[in-house]
Amino acid sequence: MGHSKVEKAESHERIVKVAAGVFRELGVDGISVADLMQCAGLTHGGFYRHFGSRDDLVAEAVERALKDGSAVADAVAANPRSTIDAVVDAYLSLAHRDNVASGCAVTALANDVARSTERARSAYSLQVGRYVDLIMRLIEPMPQKKRRAAALAALATLVGAVSMARAVNDERLSREILKSAADDLKARLA
Amino acid sequence: MGHSKVEKAESHERIVKVAAGVFRELGVDGISVADLMQCAGLTHGGFYRHFGSRDDLVAEAVERALKDGSAVADAVAANPRSTIDAVVDAYLSLAHRDNVASGCAVTALANDVARSTERARSAYSLQVGRYVDLIMRLIEPMPQKKRRAAALAALATLVGAVSMARAVNDERLSREILKSAADDLKARLA
DNA sequence: ATTATCTATAGATCTATAGATAATGC
DNA sequence: ATTATCTATAGATCTATAGATAATGC
C-alpha cells in the first residue's frame, strides 16, 4: 500500500497507460473500471481518487492513446532522412495490423471517439493535423498547392486500409488490402 | 398482442432493422436488449423467442447493416450509366457522414466487427468484396492488371475519410477531409 | 494531519429466464 | 394445443461511494 505523491503519480500513470492500450483493443466500453484497476495492479475502490468519473479517464486515455500511437510516426519525423515509403510500409505492416493496443489510435478509436466527449474529439482532431503535417513534409517534391489535399487523402487511405484489414476474417484479403493500399500510396505520392 | 406467424416475422424484422441502425450509430455495445425491444415497439421479455442470445442478434444485425448500408452503391451498380465520380461524391457527402445509422457499415462497424464473431466478420469480408467488384467495374478504362489494387485502395480511402470526418469535432477540418479525399480519388481513378 | 489505497456495499443496469396472458391455427 | 408477447424477477455486472487502514509529510 504505497502512499507518497510520487507513488500516486505512478499509479495514475499506470491506469492511464493500461486504459490507453485496452481501450484501443477492446473499445472504450470493452472493459470495466474494476478490471482496468486490476490490470494496473490496484483495486477498483481507489479509482475515484484519480478520476472524477469513468468518462474523465476515457478522455485522458484517448489523449494518451493518440500520443502513444504515433510513436513510429514521431520517430520518422525526427529523422530528416526518412521517406514517405517508410511511413506507409510501417503503417500498413502486419505488425501494426496485429498490435491494436499499441497502434495508431486515429484508426483504432475512430468510431469510439466520434461518439465521445468534445475533449476526446479535440485531441483526435489535433492528432489528425499532426499526421497531415508529417505527411506533407515527406512529400515536399509535390507541387505545394495540392500537397495538403494529397496528405489528407493519403492519411484516409492508411486509416481505411488498416480498419478493413482488421475487420475481415480472410487473411488473404486482409493482406491484399494492406499491400494494395501501400502500392497505390507509394505510386501516387512518388 | 399479435400472435400470428406473419406478425412474428414482422416483429423479428423490426428488431433486426432497429438494431442494424442503432448498432451503427451507438456501437454494438451502445444499447441494451430492453431498449432495443422498446425501439421496436416490444417488451424485452419477448426477445429470446426471436434470438438465442444477444450475440445472435448482433450477428444478424451486422449482416443486415452491411446490406442496408450499400443501398446507394447497389443503386449505382444497377444503373449501367453510373460513374465512379457519382459513387465517390455520394460516399463522401455530408449526408453520408451525418447519417451513420443508415450509412455504410463497412465504415460504421469496422472496429466493432474486428472484435466480433466469425459470422459477423465473414459478412463484413463479403461486403468488402462486393464494394471492390463494384468499383472495379466503374474504373474499367484502367489497365486490367492494376484495377483490383486500385479499387481496394480507393475503398480504403473512402472508409478512412468518412471515419475521420465523423471523429473530428472541427467542422472545417471534417469537410476538408471529405473534399480532399474526393478530389484525390476522382483524379487518380480518371 | 493528510491521503493513497483497500474492503465492502449501495444502487443502477444488463442478460436471460419463468410463468401468465391472449391470440392463432389445427 | 400452440405460441408470440407480456409482466416480473433472478443473478451477474457496473459505476460510484462510504468508511477503514496504513503509509507519508508537516
PDB file of all heavy atoms in Angstrom, chain A residues 164 168 173, chain B residues 62-71 73-74 77 87 105-106 120 122-138 148 151-152 155:
ATOM      1  N   MET A 164     -10.143  -1.910 -42.287  1.00  0.00           N
ATOM      2  CA  MET A 164     -10.727  -3.055 -43.006  1.00  0.00           C
ATOM      3  C   MET A 164      -9.878  -4.310 -42.833  1.00  0.00           C
ATOM      4  O   MET A 164     -10.417  -5.410 -42.648  1.00  0.00           O
ATOM      5  CB  MET A 164     -10.874  -2.725 -44.485  1.00  0.00           C
ATOM      6  CG  MET A 164     -11.962  -1.695 -44.760  1.00  0.00           C
ATOM      7  SD  MET A 164     -12.394  -1.597 -46.515  1.00  0.00           S
ATOM      8  CE  MET A 164     -10.857  -0.991 -47.215  1.00  0.00           C
ATOM      9  N   VAL A 168     -11.870  -7.849 -41.559  1.00  0.00           N
ATOM     10  CA  VAL A 168     -12.124  -9.052 -42.367  1.00  0.00           C
ATOM     11  C   VAL A 168     -11.509 -10.273 -41.684  1.00  0.00           C
ATOM     12  O   VAL A 168     -10.519 -10.161 -40.955  1.00  0.00           O
ATOM     13  CB  VAL A 168     -11.560  -8.898 -43.800  1.00  0.00           C
ATOM     14  CG1 VAL A 168     -12.204  -7.711 -44.499  1.00  0.00           C
ATOM     15  CG2 VAL A 168     -10.051  -8.788 -43.802  1.00  0.00           C
ATOM     16  N   LEU A 173      -7.347 -11.794 -48.022  1.00  0.00           N
ATOM     17  CA  LEU A 173      -7.943 -10.494 -48.358  1.00  0.00           C
ATOM     18  C   LEU A 173      -7.342  -9.386 -47.496  1.00  0.00           C
ATOM     19  O   LEU A 173      -7.055  -8.286 -47.979  1.00  0.00           O
ATOM     20  CB  LEU A 173      -9.463 -10.552 -48.164  1.00  0.00           C
ATOM     21  CG  LEU A 173     -10.236  -9.246 -48.363  1.00  0.00           C
ATOM     22  CD1 LEU A 173     -10.033  -8.696 -49.772  1.00  0.00           C
ATOM     23  CD2 LEU A 173     -11.736  -9.449 -48.089  1.00  0.00           C
TER      24      LEU A 173
ATOM     25  N   VAL B  62     -25.602  -7.127 -37.920  1.00  0.00           N
ATOM     26  CA  VAL B  62     -24.415  -6.698 -38.672  1.00  0.00           C
ATOM     27  C   VAL B  62     -24.590  -7.072 -40.141  1.00  0.00           C
ATOM     28  O   VAL B  62     -24.315  -6.261 -41.041  1.00  0.00           O
ATOM     29  CB  VAL B  62     -23.131  -7.345 -38.099  1.00  0.00           C
ATOM     30  CG1 VAL B  62     -21.962  -7.179 -39.062  1.00  0.00           C
ATOM     31  CG2 VAL B  62     -22.780  -6.721 -36.748  1.00  0.00           C
ATOM     32  N   GLU B  63     -25.089  -8.283 -40.389  1.00  0.00           N
ATOM     33  CA  GLU B  63     -25.359  -8.700 -41.777  1.00  0.00           C
ATOM     34  C   GLU B  63     -26.335  -7.737 -42.434  1.00  0.00           C
ATOM     35  O   GLU B  63     -26.129  -7.297 -43.571  1.00  0.00           O
ATOM     36  CB  GLU B  63     -25.929 -10.127 -41.794  1.00  0.00           C
ATOM     37  CG  GLU B  63     -24.896 -11.190 -41.428  1.00  0.00           C
ATOM     38  CD  GLU B  63     -25.503 -12.580 -41.249  1.00  0.00           C
ATOM     39  OE1 GLU B  63     -26.754 -12.689 -41.203  1.00  0.00           O
ATOM     40  OE2 GLU B  63     -24.726 -13.558 -41.147  1.00  0.00           O
ATOM     41  N   ARG B  64     -27.395  -7.408 -41.707  1.00  0.00           N
ATOM     42  CA  ARG B  64     -28.395  -6.501 -42.252  1.00  0.00           C
ATOM     43  C   ARG B  64     -27.815  -5.107 -42.501  1.00  0.00           C
ATOM     44  O   ARG B  64     -28.066  -4.486 -43.543  1.00  0.00           O
ATOM     45  CB  ARG B  64     -29.582  -6.385 -41.276  1.00  0.00           C
ATOM     46  CG  ARG B  64     -30.637  -5.370 -41.700  1.00  0.00           C
ATOM     47  CD  ARG B  64     -31.332  -5.818 -42.978  1.00  0.00           C
ATOM     48  NE  ARG B  64     -31.949  -7.110 -42.783  1.00  0.00           N
ATOM     49  CZ  ARG B  64     -33.216  -7.276 -42.388  1.00  0.00           C
ATOM     50  NH1 ARG B  64     -33.984  -6.227 -42.190  1.00  0.00           N
ATOM     51  NH2 ARG B  64     -33.713  -8.482 -42.220  1.00  0.00           N
ATOM     52  N   ALA B  65     -27.043  -4.617 -41.550  1.00  0.00           N
ATOM     53  CA  ALA B  65     -26.453  -3.279 -41.690  1.00  0.00           C
ATOM     54  C   ALA B  65     -25.540  -3.214 -42.908  1.00  0.00           C
ATOM     55  O   ALA B  65     -25.518  -2.224 -43.637  1.00  0.00           O
ATOM     56  CB  ALA B  65     -25.678  -2.911 -40.423  1.00  0.00           C
ATOM     57  N   LEU B  66     -24.793  -4.282 -43.130  1.00  0.00           N
ATOM     58  CA  LEU B  66     -23.894  -4.307 -44.281  1.00  0.00           C
ATOM     59  C   LEU B  66     -24.682  -4.268 -45.585  1.00  0.00           C
ATOM     60  O   LEU B  66     -24.297  -3.567 -46.536  1.00  0.00           O
ATOM     61  CB  LEU B  66     -23.009  -5.554 -44.229  1.00  0.00           C
ATOM     62  CG  LEU B  66     -21.895  -5.498 -43.170  1.00  0.00           C
ATOM     63  CD1 LEU B  66     -21.373  -6.881 -42.833  1.00  0.00           C
ATOM     64  CD2 LEU B  66     -20.748  -4.606 -43.632  1.00  0.00           C
ATOM     65  N   LYS B  67     -25.804  -4.986 -45.626  1.00  0.00           N
ATOM     66  CA  LYS B  67     -26.657  -4.961 -46.834  1.00  0.00           C
ATOM     67  C   LYS B  67     -27.304  -3.602 -47.001  1.00  0.00           C
ATOM     68  O   LYS B  67     -27.199  -2.978 -48.058  1.00  0.00           O
ATOM     69  CB  LYS B  67     -27.746  -6.038 -46.717  1.00  0.00           C
ATOM     70  CG  LYS B  67     -27.321  -7.395 -47.242  1.00  0.00           C
ATOM     71  CD  LYS B  67     -28.481  -8.395 -47.108  1.00  0.00           C
ATOM     72  CE  LYS B  67     -27.937  -9.817 -46.986  1.00  0.00           C
ATOM     73  NZ  LYS B  67     -28.917 -10.761 -46.417  1.00  0.00           N
ATOM     74  N   ASP B  68     -27.996  -3.136 -45.941  1.00  0.00           N
ATOM     75  CA  ASP B  68     -28.687  -1.841 -45.997  1.00  0.00           C
ATOM     76  C   ASP B  68     -27.734  -0.706 -46.355  1.00  0.00           C
ATOM     77  O   ASP B  68     -28.071   0.181 -47.128  1.00  0.00           O
ATOM     78  CB  ASP B  68     -29.329  -1.518 -44.639  1.00  0.00           C
ATOM     79  CG  ASP B  68     -30.530  -2.392 -44.360  1.00  0.00           C
ATOM     80  OD1 ASP B  68     -30.887  -3.192 -45.232  1.00  0.00           O
ATOM     81  OD2 ASP B  68     -31.097  -2.272 -43.264  1.00  0.00           O
ATOM     82  N   GLY B  69     -26.549  -0.747 -45.764  1.00  0.00           N
ATOM     83  CA  GLY B  69     -25.594   0.349 -45.934  1.00  0.00           C
ATOM     84  C   GLY B  69     -25.078   0.483 -47.346  1.00  0.00           C
ATOM     85  O   GLY B  69     -24.479   1.503 -47.696  1.00  0.00           O
ATOM     86  N   SER B  70     -25.279  -0.533 -48.162  1.00  0.00           N
ATOM     87  CA  SER B  70     -24.793  -0.459 -49.540  1.00  0.00           C
ATOM     88  C   SER B  70     -25.924  -0.134 -50.504  1.00  0.00           C
ATOM     89  O   SER B  70     -25.791  -0.312 -51.713  1.00  0.00           O
ATOM     90  CB  SER B  70     -24.127  -1.781 -49.934  1.00  0.00           C
ATOM     91  OG  SER B  70     -25.082  -2.812 -49.994  1.00  0.00           O
ATOM     92  N   ALA B  71     -27.029   0.368 -49.957  1.00  0.00           N
ATOM     93  CA  ALA B  71     -28.198   0.683 -50.790  1.00  0.00           C
ATOM     94  C   ALA B  71     -27.835   1.638 -51.922  1.00  0.00           C
ATOM     95  O   ALA B  71     -28.197   1.407 -53.079  1.00  0.00           O
ATOM     96  CB  ALA B  71     -29.312   1.288 -49.928  1.00  0.00           C
ATOM     97  N   ALA B  73     -24.846   2.259 -53.150  1.00  0.00           N
ATOM     98  CA  ALA B  73     -23.928   1.588 -54.066  1.00  0.00           C
ATOM     99  C   ALA B  73     -24.672   0.609 -54.962  1.00  0.00           C
ATOM    100  O   ALA B  73     -24.380   0.499 -56.161  1.00  0.00           O
ATOM    101  CB  ALA B  73     -22.852   0.855 -53.274  1.00  0.00           C
ATOM    102  N   ASP B  74     -25.658  -0.080 -54.393  1.00  0.00           N
ATOM    103  CA  ASP B  74     -26.438  -1.035 -55.181  1.00  0.00           C
ATOM    104  C   ASP B  74     -27.203  -0.327 -56.290  1.00  0.00           C
ATOM    105  O   ASP B  74     -27.292  -0.820 -57.414  1.00  0.00           O
ATOM    106  CB  ASP B  74     -27.414  -1.798 -54.276  1.00  0.00           C
ATOM    107  CG  ASP B  74     -26.680  -2.692 -53.288  1.00  0.00           C
ATOM    108  OD1 ASP B  74     -25.475  -2.945 -53.512  1.00  0.00           O
ATOM    109  OD2 ASP B  74     -27.292  -3.124 -52.308  1.00  0.00           O
ATOM    110  N   ALA B  77     -24.836   0.472 -58.952  1.00  0.00           N
ATOM    111  CA  ALA B  77     -24.454  -0.733 -59.696  1.00  0.00           C
ATOM    112  C   ALA B  77     -25.538  -1.139 -60.684  1.00  0.00           C
ATOM    113  O   ALA B  77     -25.241  -1.665 -61.760  1.00  0.00           O
ATOM    114  CB  ALA B  77     -24.176  -1.873 -58.720  1.00  0.00           C
ATOM    115  N   VAL B  87     -20.312   7.711 -57.254  1.00  0.00           N
ATOM    116  CA  VAL B  87     -20.151   6.899 -56.054  1.00  0.00           C
ATOM    117  C   VAL B  87     -19.288   7.634 -55.028  1.00  0.00           C
ATOM    118  O   VAL B  87     -19.623   7.701 -53.836  1.00  0.00           O
ATOM    119  CB  VAL B  87     -19.506   5.536 -56.395  1.00  0.00           C
ATOM    120  CG1 VAL B  87     -19.166   4.774 -55.126  1.00  0.00           C
ATOM    121  CG2 VAL B  87     -20.442   4.717 -57.277  1.00  0.00           C
ATOM    122  N   ALA B 105     -21.901   0.299 -43.497  1.00  0.00           N
ATOM    123  CA  ALA B 105     -21.474  -0.395 -42.286  1.00  0.00           C
ATOM    124  C   ALA B 105     -20.014  -0.829 -42.354  1.00  0.00           C
ATOM    125  O   ALA B 105     -19.422  -1.148 -41.320  1.00  0.00           O
ATOM    126  CB  ALA B 105     -22.366  -1.598 -42.033  1.00  0.00           C
ATOM    127  N   VAL B 106     -19.435  -0.841 -43.545  1.00  0.00           N
ATOM    128  CA  VAL B 106     -18.006  -1.178 -43.647  1.00  0.00           C
ATOM    129  C   VAL B 106     -17.203  -0.113 -42.901  1.00  0.00           C
ATOM    130  O   VAL B 106     -16.173  -0.405 -42.293  1.00  0.00           O
ATOM    131  CB  VAL B 106     -17.568  -1.290 -45.124  1.00  0.00           C
ATOM    132  CG1 VAL B 106     -16.055  -1.382 -45.234  1.00  0.00           C
ATOM    133  CG2 VAL B 106     -18.210  -2.521 -45.766  1.00  0.00           C
ATOM    134  N   ALA B 120     -20.069 -12.431 -38.127  1.00  0.00           N
ATOM    135  CA  ALA B 120     -20.098 -11.006 -38.462  1.00  0.00           C
ATOM    136  C   ALA B 120     -18.907 -10.642 -39.347  1.00  0.00           C
ATOM    137  O   ALA B 120     -19.036  -9.888 -40.311  1.00  0.00           O
ATOM    138  CB  ALA B 120     -20.088 -10.168 -37.184  1.00  0.00           C
ATOM    139  N   SER B 122     -17.267 -12.605 -41.377  1.00  0.00           N
ATOM    140  CA  SER B 122     -17.445 -13.172 -42.716  1.00  0.00           C
ATOM    141  C   SER B 122     -18.357 -12.290 -43.562  1.00  0.00           C
ATOM    142  O   SER B 122     -18.081 -12.036 -44.743  1.00  0.00           O
ATOM    143  CB  SER B 122     -18.030 -14.580 -42.633  1.00  0.00           C
ATOM    144  OG  SER B 122     -17.108 -15.473 -42.046  1.00  0.00           O
ATOM    145  N   ALA B 123     -19.436 -11.831 -42.952  1.00  0.00           N
ATOM    146  CA  ALA B 123     -20.358 -10.943 -43.666  1.00  0.00           C
ATOM    147  C   ALA B 123     -19.627  -9.670 -44.091  1.00  0.00           C
ATOM    148  O   ALA B 123     -19.812  -9.171 -45.208  1.00  0.00           O
ATOM    149  CB  ALA B 123     -21.547 -10.600 -42.779  1.00  0.00           C
ATOM    150  N   TYR B 124     -18.796  -9.170 -43.191  1.00  0.00           N
ATOM    151  CA  TYR B 124     -18.013  -7.955 -43.490  1.00  0.00           C
ATOM    152  C   TYR B 124     -17.067  -8.199 -44.670  1.00  0.00           C
ATOM    153  O   TYR B 124     -16.984  -7.393 -45.602  1.00  0.00           O
ATOM    154  CB  TYR B 124     -17.231  -7.540 -42.247  1.00  0.00           C
ATOM    155  CG  TYR B 124     -16.531  -6.204 -42.345  1.00  0.00           C
ATOM    156  CD1 TYR B 124     -17.108  -5.052 -41.814  1.00  0.00           C
ATOM    157  CD2 TYR B 124     -15.288  -6.088 -42.948  1.00  0.00           C
ATOM    158  CE1 TYR B 124     -16.467  -3.827 -41.883  1.00  0.00           C
ATOM    159  CE2 TYR B 124     -14.635  -4.869 -43.038  1.00  0.00           C
ATOM    160  CZ  TYR B 124     -15.230  -3.736 -42.502  1.00  0.00           C
ATOM    161  OH  TYR B 124     -14.591  -2.523 -42.585  1.00  0.00           O
ATOM    162  N   SER B 125     -16.382  -9.316 -44.636  1.00  0.00           N
ATOM    163  CA  SER B 125     -15.437  -9.659 -45.710  1.00  0.00           C
ATOM    164  C   SER B 125     -16.144  -9.728 -47.062  1.00  0.00           C
ATOM    165  O   SER B 125     -15.645  -9.216 -48.068  1.00  0.00           O
ATOM    166  CB  SER B 125     -14.765 -11.006 -45.414  1.00  0.00           C
ATOM    167  OG  SER B 125     -14.148 -10.994 -44.143  1.00  0.00           O
ATOM    168  N   LEU B 126     -17.308 -10.359 -47.071  1.00  0.00           N
ATOM    169  CA  LEU B 126     -18.080 -10.473 -48.314  1.00  0.00           C
ATOM    170  C   LEU B 126     -18.461  -9.091 -48.845  1.00  0.00           C
ATOM    171  O   LEU B 126     -18.387  -8.835 -50.046  1.00  0.00           O
ATOM    172  CB  LEU B 126     -19.346 -11.293 -48.079  1.00  0.00           C
ATOM    173  CG  LEU B 126     -19.172 -12.810 -48.096  1.00  0.00           C
ATOM    174  CD1 LEU B 126     -20.470 -13.499 -47.699  1.00  0.00           C
ATOM    175  CD2 LEU B 126     -18.723 -13.267 -49.486  1.00  0.00           C
ATOM    176  N   GLN B 127     -18.893  -8.206 -47.929  1.00  0.00           N
ATOM    177  CA  GLN B 127     -19.311  -6.874 -48.360  1.00  0.00           C
ATOM    178  C   GLN B 127     -18.133  -6.074 -48.920  1.00  0.00           C
ATOM    179  O   GLN B 127     -18.289  -5.336 -49.890  1.00  0.00           O
ATOM    180  CB  GLN B 127     -19.971  -6.120 -47.198  1.00  0.00           C
ATOM    181  CG  GLN B 127     -20.624  -4.814 -47.598  1.00  0.00           C
ATOM    182  CD  GLN B 127     -21.722  -5.000 -48.636  1.00  0.00           C
ATOM    183  OE1 GLN B 127     -22.516  -5.922 -48.545  1.00  0.00           O
ATOM    184  NE2 GLN B 127     -21.743  -4.148 -49.646  1.00  0.00           N
ATOM    185  N   VAL B 128     -16.963  -6.241 -48.323  1.00  0.00           N
ATOM    186  CA  VAL B 128     -15.767  -5.578 -48.865  1.00  0.00           C
ATOM    187  C   VAL B 128     -15.548  -6.063 -50.296  1.00  0.00           C
ATOM    188  O   VAL B 128     -15.293  -5.261 -51.213  1.00  0.00           O
ATOM    189  CB  VAL B 128     -14.519  -5.893 -47.995  1.00  0.00           C
ATOM    190  CG1 VAL B 128     -13.233  -5.499 -48.715  1.00  0.00           C
ATOM    191  CG2 VAL B 128     -14.615  -5.155 -46.659  1.00  0.00           C
ATOM    192  N   GLY B 129     -15.688  -7.370 -50.503  1.00  0.00           N
ATOM    193  CA  GLY B 129     -15.539  -7.931 -51.850  1.00  0.00           C
ATOM    194  C   GLY B 129     -16.531  -7.340 -52.837  1.00  0.00           C
ATOM    195  O   GLY B 129     -16.170  -7.010 -53.976  1.00  0.00           O
ATOM    196  N   ARG B 130     -17.775  -7.143 -52.384  1.00  0.00           N
ATOM    197  CA  ARG B 130     -18.802  -6.578 -53.275  1.00  0.00           C
ATOM    198  C   ARG B 130     -18.460  -5.147 -53.670  1.00  0.00           C
ATOM    199  O   ARG B 130     -18.599  -4.751 -54.829  1.00  0.00           O
ATOM    200  CB  ARG B 130     -20.176  -6.604 -52.586  1.00  0.00           C
ATOM    201  CG  ARG B 130     -20.818  -7.976 -52.606  1.00  0.00           C
ATOM    202  CD  ARG B 130     -22.293  -7.905 -52.168  1.00  0.00           C
ATOM    203  NE  ARG B 130     -22.667  -9.141 -51.499  1.00  0.00           N
ATOM    204  CZ  ARG B 130     -22.751  -9.309 -50.191  1.00  0.00           C
ATOM    205  NH1 ARG B 130     -22.517  -8.290 -49.367  1.00  0.00           N
ATOM    206  NH2 ARG B 130     -23.078 -10.475 -49.681  1.00  0.00           N
ATOM    207  N   TYR B 131     -18.013  -4.368 -52.692  1.00  0.00           N
ATOM    208  CA  TYR B 131     -17.639  -2.982 -52.996  1.00  0.00           C
ATOM    209  C   TYR B 131     -16.471  -2.935 -53.980  1.00  0.00           C
ATOM    210  O   TYR B 131     -16.458  -2.124 -54.905  1.00  0.00           O
ATOM    211  CB  TYR B 131     -17.252  -2.233 -51.716  1.00  0.00           C
ATOM    212  CG  TYR B 131     -18.413  -1.678 -50.934  1.00  0.00           C
ATOM    213  CD1 TYR B 131     -18.557  -1.930 -49.572  1.00  0.00           C
ATOM    214  CD2 TYR B 131     -19.372  -0.872 -51.553  1.00  0.00           C
ATOM    215  CE1 TYR B 131     -19.620  -1.417 -48.845  1.00  0.00           C
ATOM    216  CE2 TYR B 131     -20.439  -0.352 -50.820  1.00  0.00           C
ATOM    217  CZ  TYR B 131     -20.556  -0.631 -49.476  1.00  0.00           C
ATOM    218  OH  TYR B 131     -21.605  -0.112 -48.764  1.00  0.00           O
ATOM    219  N   VAL B 132     -15.501  -3.808 -53.758  1.00  0.00           N
ATOM    220  CA  VAL B 132     -14.333  -3.825 -54.652  1.00  0.00           C
ATOM    221  C   VAL B 132     -14.764  -4.171 -56.071  1.00  0.00           C
ATOM    222  O   VAL B 132     -14.326  -3.533 -57.041  1.00  0.00           O
ATOM    223  CB  VAL B 132     -13.270  -4.819 -54.141  1.00  0.00           C
ATOM    224  CG1 VAL B 132     -12.173  -5.006 -55.170  1.00  0.00           C
ATOM    225  CG2 VAL B 132     -12.683  -4.325 -52.822  1.00  0.00           C
ATOM    226  N   ASP B 133     -15.649  -5.167 -56.213  1.00  0.00           N
ATOM    227  CA  ASP B 133     -16.140  -5.539 -57.544  1.00  0.00           C
ATOM    228  C   ASP B 133     -16.853  -4.374 -58.218  1.00  0.00           C
ATOM    229  O   ASP B 133     -16.660  -4.111 -59.415  1.00  0.00           O
ATOM    230  CB  ASP B 133     -17.089  -6.741 -57.439  1.00  0.00           C
ATOM    231  CG  ASP B 133     -16.329  -8.018 -57.101  1.00  0.00           C
ATOM    232  OD1 ASP B 133     -15.092  -8.035 -57.266  1.00  0.00           O
ATOM    233  OD2 ASP B 133     -16.973  -8.998 -56.672  1.00  0.00           O
ATOM    234  N   LEU B 134     -17.679  -3.678 -57.417  1.00  0.00           N
ATOM    235  CA  LEU B 134     -18.410  -2.534 -57.967  1.00  0.00           C
ATOM    236  C   LEU B 134     -17.447  -1.453 -58.463  1.00  0.00           C
ATOM    237  O   LEU B 134     -17.575  -0.956 -59.596  1.00  0.00           O
ATOM    238  CB  LEU B 134     -19.338  -1.949 -56.886  1.00  0.00           C
ATOM    239  CG  LEU B 134     -19.961  -0.587 -57.211  1.00  0.00           C
ATOM    240  CD1 LEU B 134     -20.873  -0.691 -58.421  1.00  0.00           C
ATOM    241  CD2 LEU B 134     -20.732  -0.038 -56.018  1.00  0.00           C
ATOM    242  N   ILE B 135     -16.482  -1.108 -57.646  1.00  0.00           N
ATOM    243  CA  ILE B 135     -15.533  -0.062 -58.034  1.00  0.00           C
ATOM    244  C   ILE B 135     -14.727  -0.501 -59.249  1.00  0.00           C
ATOM    245  O   ILE B 135     -14.476   0.289 -60.163  1.00  0.00           O
ATOM    246  CB  ILE B 135     -14.598   0.285 -56.850  1.00  0.00           C
ATOM    247  CG1 ILE B 135     -15.420   0.871 -55.690  1.00  0.00           C
ATOM    248  CG2 ILE B 135     -13.513   1.276 -57.286  1.00  0.00           C
ATOM    249  CD1 ILE B 135     -14.620   1.098 -54.409  1.00  0.00           C
ATOM    250  N   MET B 136     -14.341  -1.785 -59.285  1.00  0.00           N
ATOM    251  CA  MET B 136     -13.586  -2.281 -60.432  1.00  0.00           C
ATOM    252  C   MET B 136     -14.355  -2.094 -61.739  1.00  0.00           C
ATOM    253  O   MET B 136     -13.788  -1.690 -62.757  1.00  0.00           O
ATOM    254  CB  MET B 136     -13.261  -3.770 -60.251  1.00  0.00           C
ATOM    255  CG  MET B 136     -12.070  -4.008 -59.360  1.00  0.00           C
ATOM    256  SD  MET B 136     -11.664  -5.771 -59.273  1.00  0.00           S
ATOM    257  CE  MET B 136     -10.919  -6.020 -60.889  1.00  0.00           C
ATOM    258  N   ARG B 137     -15.649  -2.387 -61.694  1.00  0.00           N
ATOM    259  CA  ARG B 137     -16.461  -2.240 -62.914  1.00  0.00           C
ATOM    260  C   ARG B 137     -16.528  -0.786 -63.355  1.00  0.00           C
ATOM    261  O   ARG B 137     -16.572  -0.484 -64.551  1.00  0.00           O
ATOM    262  CB  ARG B 137     -17.884  -2.758 -62.668  1.00  0.00           C
ATOM    263  CG  ARG B 137     -18.023  -4.259 -62.826  1.00  0.00           C
ATOM    264  CD  ARG B 137     -19.473  -4.650 -63.123  1.00  0.00           C
ATOM    265  NE  ARG B 137     -20.390  -4.202 -62.090  1.00  0.00           N
ATOM    266  CZ  ARG B 137     -20.568  -4.826 -60.911  1.00  0.00           C
ATOM    267  NH1 ARG B 137     -19.879  -5.915 -60.635  1.00  0.00           N
ATOM    268  NH2 ARG B 137     -21.411  -4.356 -60.026  1.00  0.00           N
ATOM    269  N   LEU B 138     -16.514   0.119 -62.361  1.00  0.00           N
ATOM    270  CA  LEU B 138     -16.656   1.543 -62.689  1.00  0.00           C
ATOM    271  C   LEU B 138     -15.367   2.187 -63.186  1.00  0.00           C
ATOM    272  O   LEU B 138     -15.382   3.287 -63.714  1.00  0.00           O
ATOM    273  CB  LEU B 138     -17.167   2.307 -61.456  1.00  0.00           C
ATOM    274  CG  LEU B 138     -18.592   1.969 -61.033  1.00  0.00           C
ATOM    275  CD1 LEU B 138     -18.926   2.626 -59.701  1.00  0.00           C
ATOM    276  CD2 LEU B 138     -19.593   2.395 -62.105  1.00  0.00           C
ATOM    277  N   ARG B 148      -7.803  -4.083 -59.679  1.00  0.00           N
ATOM    278  CA  ARG B 148      -8.258  -4.548 -58.364  1.00  0.00           C
ATOM    279  C   ARG B 148      -7.515  -3.839 -57.222  1.00  0.00           C
ATOM    280  O   ARG B 148      -8.121  -3.424 -56.243  1.00  0.00           O
ATOM    281  CB  ARG B 148      -8.096  -6.064 -58.238  1.00  0.00           C
ATOM    282  CG  ARG B 148      -8.671  -6.582 -56.926  1.00  0.00           C
ATOM    283  CD  ARG B 148      -8.718  -8.104 -56.867  1.00  0.00           C
ATOM    284  NE  ARG B 148      -8.828  -8.546 -55.483  1.00  0.00           N
ATOM    285  CZ  ARG B 148      -9.983  -8.766 -54.855  1.00  0.00           C
ATOM    286  NH1 ARG B 148     -11.122  -8.630 -55.498  1.00  0.00           N
ATOM    287  NH2 ARG B 148     -10.016  -9.136 -53.585  1.00  0.00           N
ATOM    288  N   ALA B 151      -8.889  -0.420 -56.901  1.00  0.00           N
ATOM    289  CA  ALA B 151     -10.229  -0.432 -56.307  1.00  0.00           C
ATOM    290  C   ALA B 151     -10.135  -0.615 -54.798  1.00  0.00           C
ATOM    291  O   ALA B 151     -10.845   0.051 -54.028  1.00  0.00           O
ATOM    292  CB  ALA B 151     -11.069  -1.546 -56.928  1.00  0.00           C
ATOM    293  N   LEU B 152      -9.274  -1.510 -54.344  1.00  0.00           N
ATOM    294  CA  LEU B 152      -9.097  -1.726 -52.901  1.00  0.00           C
ATOM    295  C   LEU B 152      -8.564  -0.461 -52.231  1.00  0.00           C
ATOM    296  O   LEU B 152      -9.029  -0.075 -51.163  1.00  0.00           O
ATOM    297  CB  LEU B 152      -8.127  -2.891 -52.668  1.00  0.00           C
ATOM    298  CG  LEU B 152      -8.760  -4.287 -52.628  1.00  0.00           C
ATOM    299  CD1 LEU B 152      -7.711  -5.365 -52.805  1.00  0.00           C
ATOM    300  CD2 LEU B 152      -9.508  -4.482 -51.316  1.00  0.00           C
ATOM    301  N   LEU B 155     -11.357   2.087 -52.014  1.00  0.00           N
ATOM    302  CA  LEU B 155     -12.288   1.765 -50.925  1.00  0.00           C
ATOM    303  C   LEU B 155     -11.685   2.168 -49.577  1.00  0.00           C
ATOM    304  O   LEU B 155     -12.369   2.726 -48.717  1.00  0.00           O
ATOM    305  CB  LEU B 155     -12.623   0.272 -50.938  1.00  0.00           C
ATOM    306  CG  LEU B 155     -13.597  -0.213 -49.858  1.00  0.00           C
ATOM    307  CD1 LEU B 155     -14.927   0.519 -49.934  1.00  0.00           C
ATOM    308  CD2 LEU B 155     -13.809  -1.722 -49.961  1.00  0.00           C
TER     309      LEU B 155
END
